[in-house]
DNA sequence: GGGACTATGCTTG
DNA sequence: TTCCACAAGCATAGTCCC
C-alpha cells in the first residue's frame, strides 16, 4: 500500500491525475476546490511545455529515489529493524525528557497578506477574485480567488484559466514591508523580545508567557485582543495559533484560517493527540517531496512516524531521525532565536536573480549580469556587507538549474567585482540558452573582524600613497556620491594585497575606517586605459578605475558606472529595488481533527530518563550503519572521485565542457586553436610548441602564452595522467573554506529542516545519474547491483561515470586565489600566465583559477605552498607587494617583472588580436558612445531593464578597461 | 578525520 | 504571442589538503 501511494504515478504516464506539481488543495481557503478539475486544467495548459517536461524529469528522479529506498528496505532483517527501533526509542526518550510545556507561544500569520494589503488601496477588489503578481507568477491570491484554485506560486496564465475573471495587481513590496512593520509594532506590546527583523513579513512568533502572567489574562484573550487590534489599526486580518512551542503554534495558526485562532492546550496528552493525527505535510519542513518519500513507507501522519520509527531510523540520516522524533513528540523551540551578536552579520547570503525571455546571447547575458551585480552591490552597500563567495545561478531554458560558485581571497562588494567574478563563472557555461541569471554573495566578513585587521588592502594602498606609486583618486567626492563615485572597473580588480577593490559601494565604510580615500593625483592617477607608449601597456591600478582622463573632463562620472555602483549620487537612483522577494508565512489549510487519535506508543518519561546519553550514543552508532544500508546504493566514493575530475558545470561530455572553456577565452583563442585544444594540446602562442594540456607554462620556451589553462580542459578529457583517480588531477587545489555542517541545532530549531536532505538513503545525484544511465543502457536493476560486492560496484560506477552525463556533481573546487579575485588582501594570483586569456575577459584570473580545480597537481605549486621564488611569474603575490595592473590583460604584475610582462604583449599575433578586438569594440560602441543606453533606447525587447551603460567615451584609445567596459555595456545598450 | 570548497536539492514565504 | 518568481536557509555529498 505504501508503494502504491508514493510512487507511482508512473513516470511515463502523462495524465492530469499525475500532474500534481502545481496544485494541492491543502492551503487555507481552498478546501472546497475541486482538485481534480484544477489539476486537469493545469495539465492541459502545461503539457508539452519546457516546464512540464522538467517537472516530469524531477518526478522520475523522485520515483527512482523511492525505488532505491524500497530496495534498501527489503534488505533489512528483522534484527536490523529491532535494533533501529530500539535506537529510535532511545531518541524518543531523550527528547521527551527535555519537553518544556511551560511557555505560551502565539504564532500570528496574516491572511492573504499581499492581497490584503493591496485591498486597502483597492477597496473595489473586495470580494472579487484577484491575485498579486502577473501572468508569469503570482505571489498570492485573495480568498475569493482561492475558491477557483488560484494560489501562491501559481503562474498567472494558469490562474487565469482557472478563474477567467481574475484581476492581477502588481506587487509593491514597500507597502508590504510597511504593513508588516505596523503589525509588528502591535505584537511587540505583547512580547518585547520580538526580534526587530522578521524572517517573514507576514508572520511572527510571540512568547506571551510573561504577558499573560503579568496581565492575568489567558492566551486566548491575548490572541483575540491582538487580532482585534490588528484589524482596527491596520485594516488587515490575521490568524493565530496558540501552543507551548513555536512549531506547534505555527501549525495551529493554520487551523482556523482566515481570521481565526486555535489553541492547543499545554498538556502533554493534548499535544500527543494533536500531532498523532496531524498530516505529516502540515509540519514545517516536510514538503512535497518528503511527503512522498514518507508516504512510500506508509507514513502519512505524525503517529505513523512512531509506528515506523525503526524503518525511518534505518533509512534516514541521524539528523532526519532527530527531526522525526521531535515532530512525533510535538516538540519545538520554546525560545526566540538569539539575535546575531554585536558585529555579526545577521544573514548568510544576499542575492538577486531575474528571469527573462530565454536567450543564448552572450552580450545580453552579460548585460543582465551587470544589472544583477549593480543591484546586488547596491543592496550590499545598504547593509554594509562584503562577502567572498560569489555564486552564479543559471536556469536553462529547459528549467534545469545550475549554480557555479567561486570564493575569492578577499571580501568584495563592488558591482564591478561582483560582475567580474560572475562573468568568469558564466562564460565557461556558454553557449547555452538561459532564462534566468542570479547572483549571490555569501561568506560575509563580520564587521568585527573587519575592524580587527582585515584591511590589509588599505594598508597597502596607504603604503603606496606614501611611497612612489601613482595614485589614484576618487573623482567623486561629491557628497551625494557615496559608494558609487568610485567607479570600479568592471574588469578584474585583482587587488593584490588587499581589497584594492574596496571600491564603490564599500567606500563609505572604508572611509570611515580611515582607509584610503584622500588624495589623488590628477589625471595620472586615473586609470585611463590609454596605451602609454609602444609596449607600455601597463598601468597602475591602485584602487579605482576611471575612464580615460580625456573622457573624464566633464567631471561627470560615467553614468552607467554610477549605476553600477548603485550610486544614485549622480542622479540615477535606479529603478526601485526589485523587491526583496517574498517572505511570508506559510499556511497549510486543512481542518484539524481534534484530539482523538491512536494512543502513542512512545516510551514513558521514566524510561526516557534511563535512556539518556547512552541511548543517544547507541542511536548514533546505529545511524552510522544506516548510511550504507540505507543508501542501498553504495556511497559513491569511487563515483565521486570520477566525477570530481570533471568540471562542475560542464554538463555534457568532455567536448561540451571544452567548448565552454574555449568560449571563455574566445577573444584570444582562434578557432583553429580550439580544435587543437580538443586534441588535448595547447599551442604556445610564442613558440608554437604543442604542450600537453596539463602544461601551465610552455614546456619549450617557458612562456605563459598557452591558449588556456589546462584547467579549462574538461576533466574527462584532461590529461590521461589525471584520468580516473581522484588524486591525480588534484593538482594545486586551493584550499577552500568550510562546508556546510551548518548547524544541526539551527536546523532543528528553525522551521524543521527538510527531511530529504538528511536522508542518507537519498542517493546522491551521482547515483541517480548512474541509475538513469543504467536504465538507459538497460543494465541490471539496482537491487542486484546493490548486492554486488563493493569492489565490483565501484568498478561499475567508474565505468558509468566516464560516460557523459547530464551534469556532474561537483568537482574539486578551489577558491579563487586572491589575486583574481578582485580585491584581495593576499595576493597570489595569476599573473603573466594569464595573459592569453585575459584581454577580453575582465576577470580572467578568477576564471582560470576556478577552473583549475580538477587538474593541477602540486606540481607547479603555483598556488600551493611551494616556496617558489617570489619573482617567478607564477608565484603568488603577497600582501602588500608592489604590483601594477596590466591594462591589456588585467593581470597584476610585480613591478620587478613589468618589462618581462610587456614583452609578452609585444607578440605580434596578440597585438593583432588586440587590434581586432579594439576594432570590434569601436564598431560596437563608436556609433553611440556614452549615451548608448538610455532607458528609451535600451531594452528593445520591452522587458525593460533599467540600467544602461555605455561609458562616456568609448575610450577610443587602445584596449583597456574602458574598452572592456564599453564592450560589456555597449553591447547591451545596443540590443 | 576534519576543515574548506562547490553543486544540488528541498523548503518556506 | 503571451506563458511557471524571487530570496533565503539548510543539508548532503564529493573533492582536496593538512
Ligand atoms: C507561499 C508564498 C507566499 N508569498 C508571499 C505572498 C503572501 O501573501 C505572503 C505570505 O505568504 P502566506 O502566509 O503563505 O500566504 P498568504 O498570507 O498570502 O495567505 P494565507 O496565510 O492566508 O494562507 O508571502 C510569495 O511571494 N510566494 C510564495 O510562494
Ligand atoms: Mg499569511
Amino acid at each position: 500500500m505504501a508503494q502504491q501511494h508514493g510512487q507511482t504515478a508512473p513516470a511515463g504516464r502523462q495524465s492530469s491525475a499525475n500532474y500534481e506539481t502545481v496544485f494541492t488543495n491543502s492551503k487555507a481557503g481552498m478546501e472546497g476546490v475541486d482538485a481534480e478539475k484544477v489539476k486537469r486544467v493545469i495539465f492541459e495548459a502545461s503539457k508539452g511545455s519546457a516546464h512540464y517536461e522538467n517537472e516530469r524529469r524531477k518526478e522520475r528522479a523522485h520515483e527512482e529515489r523511492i525505488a532505491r529506498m524500497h530496495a534498501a528496505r527489503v534488505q533489512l532483517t528483522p534484527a536490523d529493524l529491532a535494533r533501529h527501533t530500539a535506537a529510535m526509542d532511545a531518541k524518543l526518550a531523550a527528547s521527551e525528557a527535555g519537553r518544556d510545556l511551560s511557555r505560551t507561544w502565539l504564532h500570528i500569520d496574516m491572511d492573504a497578506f499581499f492581497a490584503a494589503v493591496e485591498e486597502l488601496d483597492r477597496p473595489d477588489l473586495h470580494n472579487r477574485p484577484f491575485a498579486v503578481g502577473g501572468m508569469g507568477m503570482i505571489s498570492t491570491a485573495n480568498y475569493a480567488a482561492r475558491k477557483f484554485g488560484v494560489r501562491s506560486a501559481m503562474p498567472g496564465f494558469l490562474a487565469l484559466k482557472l478563474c477567467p475573471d481574475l484581476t492581477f495587481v502588481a506587487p509593491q513590496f514597500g507597502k508590504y514591508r510597511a504593513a508588516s512593520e505596523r503589525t509588528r509594532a502591535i505584537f511587540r506590546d505583547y512580547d518585547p523580545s520580538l526580534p526587530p527583523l522578521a524572517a517573514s513579513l507576514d508572520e511572527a512568533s510571540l512568547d506571551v508567557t510573561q504577558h499573560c502572567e503579568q496581565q492575568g489574562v489567558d492566551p486566548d484573550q491575548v490572541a483575540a485582543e491582538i487580532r482585534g487590534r490588528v484589524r482596527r489599526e491596520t485594516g488587515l486580518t490575521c490568524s493565530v495559533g496558540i501552543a507551548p512551542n513555536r512549531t506547534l503554534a505555527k501549525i495551529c495558526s493554520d487551523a482556523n484560517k482566515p481570521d481565526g485562532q486555535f489553541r492547543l492546550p499545554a498538556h502533554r496528552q493534548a499535544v500527543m493527540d494533536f500531532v498523532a493525527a496531524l498530516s505529516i505535510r502540515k509540519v514545517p519542513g516536510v514538503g512535497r517531496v518528503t511527503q512522498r518519500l514518507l508516504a512510500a513507507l506508509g507514513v502519512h501522519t505524525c503517529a505513523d512516524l512512531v509506528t515506523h520509527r525503526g524503518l525511518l531510523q534505518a533509512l534516514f540520516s541521524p539528523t532526519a531521525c532527530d527531526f522525526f522524533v521531535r515532530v512525533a513528540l510535538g516538540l519545538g523551540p520554546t525560545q526566540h532565536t538569539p539575535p546575531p551578536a554585536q558585529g555579526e552579520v545577521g544573514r548568510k547570503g544576499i542575492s538577486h536573480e531575474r528571469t527573462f525571455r530565454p536567450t543564448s546571447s552572450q552580450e545580453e547575458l552579460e548585460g543582465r549580469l551587470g544589472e544583477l551585480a549593480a543591484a546586488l552591490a547596491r543592496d550590499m552597500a545598504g547593509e554594509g556587507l562584503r562577502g567572498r563567495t560569489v555564486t552564479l545561478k543559471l536556469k536553462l531554458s529547459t528549467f534545469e538549474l545550475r549554480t557555479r560558485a567561486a570564493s575569492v581571497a578577499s571580501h568584495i562588494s563592488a558591482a564591478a567585482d561582483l560582475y567580474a567574478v560572475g562573468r568568469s563563472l558564466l562564460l565557461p557555461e556558454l553557449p547555452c540558452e538561459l532564462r534566468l541569471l542570479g547572483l549571490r554573495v555569501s561568506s560575509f566578513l563580520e564587521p568585527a573582524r573587519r575592524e580587527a585587521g582585515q584591511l590589509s588592502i588599505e594598508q597597502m594602498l596607504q603604503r603606496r600613497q606614501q611611497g612612489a606609486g601613482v595614485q589614484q583618486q576618487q573623482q567623486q567626492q561629491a557628497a551625494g556620491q557615496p559608494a558609487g563615485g568610485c567607479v570600479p572597473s568592471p574588469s578584474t580588480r585583482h587587488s593584490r594585497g588587499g581589497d584594492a577593490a574596496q571600491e564603490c559601494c564599500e567606500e563609505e565604510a572604508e572611509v570611515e575606517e580611515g582607509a584610503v580615500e584622500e588624495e589623488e593625483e590628477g589625471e595620472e592617477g586615473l586609470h585611463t586605459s590609454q596605451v602609454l607608449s609602444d609596449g607600455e601597456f601597463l598601468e597602475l591600478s591602485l584602487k579605482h578605475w576611471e575612464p580615460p582622463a580625456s573622457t573624464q573632463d566633464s567631471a561627470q562620472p560615467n553614468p552607467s558606472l554610477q549605476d553600477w555602483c548603485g550610486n544614485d549620487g549622480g542622479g540615477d537612483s535606479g529603478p526601485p529595488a526589485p523587491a526583496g522577494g517574498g517572505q511570508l508565512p506559510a499556511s497549510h489549510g486543512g481542518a484539524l481533527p481534534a484530539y482523538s487519535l491512536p494512543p502513542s506508543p512512545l516510551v514513558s518519561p521514566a524510561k526516557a530518563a534511563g535512556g539518556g546519553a547512552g541511548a543517544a550514543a547507541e542511536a548514533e552508532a546505529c545511524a552510522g550503519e544506516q548510511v550504507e544500508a540505507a543508501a542501498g546504493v553504495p556511497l559513491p566514493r569511487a563515483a565521486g572521485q570520477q566525477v570530481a575530475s570533471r568540471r562542475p558545470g560542464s554538463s555534457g561530455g568532455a567536448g561540451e565542457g571544452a567548448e565552454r572553456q574555449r568560449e571563455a577565452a574566445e577573444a584570444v583563442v582562434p578557432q583553429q586553436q580550439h580544435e587543437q585544444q580538443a586534441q588535448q594540446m595547447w599551442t604556445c602562442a610564442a613558440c608554437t610548441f604543442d604542450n600537453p594540456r596539463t602544461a601551465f607554462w610552455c614546456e619549450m620556451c617557458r612562456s605563459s602564452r598557452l591558449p588556456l589553462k589546462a584547467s579549462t580542459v574538461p576533466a574527462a578529457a584532461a590529461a590521461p595522467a589525471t584520468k580516473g583517480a581522484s588524486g591525480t588531477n588534484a593538482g594545486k587545489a586551493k584550499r577552500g573554506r568550510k562546508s556546510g555542517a551548518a548547524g544541526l541545532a539551527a536546523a532543528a530549531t528553525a522551521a524543521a529542516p527538510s527531511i530529504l536532505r538528511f536522508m542518507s538513503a537519498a542517493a546522491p545525484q551521482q547515483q541517480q545519474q548512474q541509475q538513469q544511465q543504467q536504465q538507459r543502457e538497460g543494465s541490471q536493476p539496482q537491487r542486484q547491483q546493490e548486492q554486488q560486492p563493493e569492489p565490483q560496484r565501484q568498478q561499475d560506477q567508474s565505468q558509468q561515470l566516464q560516460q557523459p552525463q547530464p551534469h556532474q556533481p561537483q568537482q574539486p573546487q578551489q577558491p579563487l586565489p586572491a589575486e583574481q579575485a578582485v580585491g584581495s588582501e593576499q595576493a597570489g594570483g595569476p599573473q603573466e600566465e594569464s595573459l592569453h586569456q585575459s584581454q577580453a575577459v575582465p576577470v580572467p584570473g578568477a576564471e582560470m583559477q576556478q577552473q583549475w580545480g580538477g587538474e593541477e597537481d602540486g606540481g607547479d605549486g603555483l598556488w600551493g605552498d611551494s616556496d617558489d621564488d617570489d619573482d617567478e611569474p607564477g608565484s603568488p603575490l603577497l600582501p602588500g607587494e608592489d604590483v601594477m595592473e596590466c591594462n591589456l590583460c588585467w593581470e597584476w604584475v610585480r613591478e620587478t617583472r613589468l618589462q618581462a610582462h610587456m614583452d609578452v604583449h609585444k607578440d605580434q599575433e596578440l597585438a593583432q588580436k588586440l587590434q581586432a578586438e579594439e576594432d570590434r569594440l569601436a564598431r560596437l560602441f563608436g556609433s553611440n558612445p556614452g549615451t548608448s543606453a538610455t532607458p528609451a533606447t535600451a531594452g528593445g525587447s520591452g522587458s525593460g531593464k533599467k540600467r544602461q551603460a555605455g561609458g562616456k567615451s568609448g575610450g577610443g584609445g587602445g584596449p583597456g578597461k574602458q574598452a572592456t567596459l564599453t564592450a560589456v555595456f555597449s553591447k547591451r545598450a545596443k540590443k
Side-chain angles (χ1 to χ4, degrees), chain A residues 27-28 109-114 139-140 143 146 152-153 202 257 582-587:
Chain A
K27 175 114 181 150
D109 188 300
M110 304 302 294
D111 302 326
F113 188 52
F114 289 8
S139 291
T140 195
Y143 281 75
R146 293 186 193 189
S152 289
D202 101 319
K257 205 170 228 316
Q583 209 91 316
L584 312 155
S587 40

Side-chain angles (χ1 to χ4, degrees), chain A residues 586-625:
Chain A
S587 40
H588 316 279
L592 291 179
Y595 332 125
S596 62
L597 306 170
S600 81
L602 301 181
V603 292
S604 69
K607 181 183 171 189
E618 179 189 342
E620 192 67 24
C622 292
E625 302 173 12

Side-chain angles (χ1 to χ4, degrees), chain A residues 350-393:
Chain A
I350 185 168
S351 66
H352 261 281
E353 65 183 58
R354 206 55 65 193
T355 292
F356 41 82
R357 182 170 304 141
T359 180
S360 51
S361 159
Q362 180 176 333
E363 295 175 2
E364 182 177 348
L365 293 172
E366 287 176 336
R368 299 210 175 261
L369 183 63
E371 292 166 355
L372 289 174
L376 190 53
R378 188 169 50 231
D379 287 357
M380 290 180 72
E383 295 188 37
L385 296 173
R386 295 166 57 189
R388 50 181 290 271
T389 300
V390 176
T391 303
L392 179 72
K393 177 177 178 179

Side-chain angles (χ1 to χ4, degrees), chain A residues 743-813:
Chain A
L744 296 193
T749 47
S754 83
I755 290 32
L756 264 202
R757 26 180 127 131
F758 312 137
M759 199 184 81
S760 48
Q765 296 85 31
Q766 293 164 2
Q767 293 177 358
Q768 292 181 29
Q769 290 167 0
Q770 289 167 32
Q771 293 191 341
Q772 289 169 8
Q773 177 88 22
Q774 278 186 343
Q775 291 184 353
R776 283 194 295 272
E777 298 173 2
S779 58
Q780 53 186 316
Q782 181 63 36
R783 187 182 303 178
Q784 286 182 27
Q785 189 183 24
E786 288 165 5
Q787 294 169 340
Q788 294 172 8
E790 181 70 14
Q792 179 63 48
R793 286 186 304 199
Q794 291 189 358
Q795 190 178 5
D796 290 350
Q797 289 172 352
S798 297
Q799 291 168 354
Q800 290 162 13
L801 283 166
Q802 288 176 22
Q803 308 291 330
Q805 295 184 14
H807 47 272
Q808 68 289 333
Q810 43 290 67
Q811 99 192 74
Q813 316 302 350

Side-chain angles (χ1 to χ4, degrees), chain A residues 356-366 368 395-397 426-427 429-437 663 666:
Chain A
F356 41 82
R357 182 170 304 141
T359 180
S360 51
S361 159
Q362 180 176 333
E363 295 175 2
E364 182 177 348
L365 293 172
E366 287 176 336
R368 299 210 175 261
K395 189 187 287 181
L396 278 56
S397 56
L426 171 65
L427 295 189
E429 302 300 319
L430 303 179
C432 64
E433 192 177 52
L434 302 178
R435 74 182 331 268
L436 171 148
L437 273 180
E663 185 66 19
E666 127 189 272

Side-chain angles (χ1 to χ4, degrees), chain A residues 515-536:
Chain A
V516 211
E517 294 327 84
E518 30 286 59
E519 44 294 71
E520 67 273 290
E521 303 269 344
E523 312 272 317
E524 305 161 326
L526 299 182
H527 291 198
T528 65
S529 22
Q530 51 205 317
V531 174
L532 304 180
S533 64
D534 186 19
E536 294 179 82

